[in-house]
Amino acid sequence: MSALTGRMNTLLLVVVIIIGLAIIAMLATGARGGPLDPPSAPAPTDGVRDAGTPISSLPFTISAPGRYYVTRDLTSAATNQNGVTIAASDVT
């Protein structure tokens, strides 16, 4: 009976060690995330050189096909004036 008790104790010790290692592995690989809210509004992209023509002031008339992009928040001073007029086809 003593040999059986020794084997049972050894088996119990192995099971406890395996369970302990599994718990440590789960705790070590737990995902921890940071805040999801962005820190602030996006900054103007005046310094970014993108492919295409930058639009940085109003009024602006697009008269040729191509790619155009806005570099900052734009407002028109005149109330009866268009901001961006597109007078061409194939404009992105």
Side-chain angles (χ1 to χ4, degrees):
M1 191 119 190
S2 128
L4 182 60
T5 304
R7 284 188 178 175
M8 292 286 288
N9 286 341
T10 303
L11 181 61
L12 183 60
L13 179 62
V14 169
V15 169
V16 169
I17 289 174
I18 290 173
I19 290 173
L21 289 174
I23 291 172
I24 290 172
M26 285 189 291
L27 292 175
T29 60
R32 290 169 179 81
L36 298 178
D37 294 330
S40 64
T45 58
D46 289 336
V48 176
R49 300 291 179 234
D50 203 359
T53 304
I55 300 173
S56 58
S57 64
L58 296 178
F60 189 89
T61 300
I62 298 174
S63 57
R67 186 177 193 287
Y68 297 81
Y69 63 97
V70 177
T71 61
R72 66 176 77 176
D73 189 17
L74 301 173
T75 57
S76 179
T79 57
N80 294 331
Q81 192 174 21
N82 291 332
V84 176
T85 303
I86 302 174
S89 59
D90 295 323
V91 172
T92 303

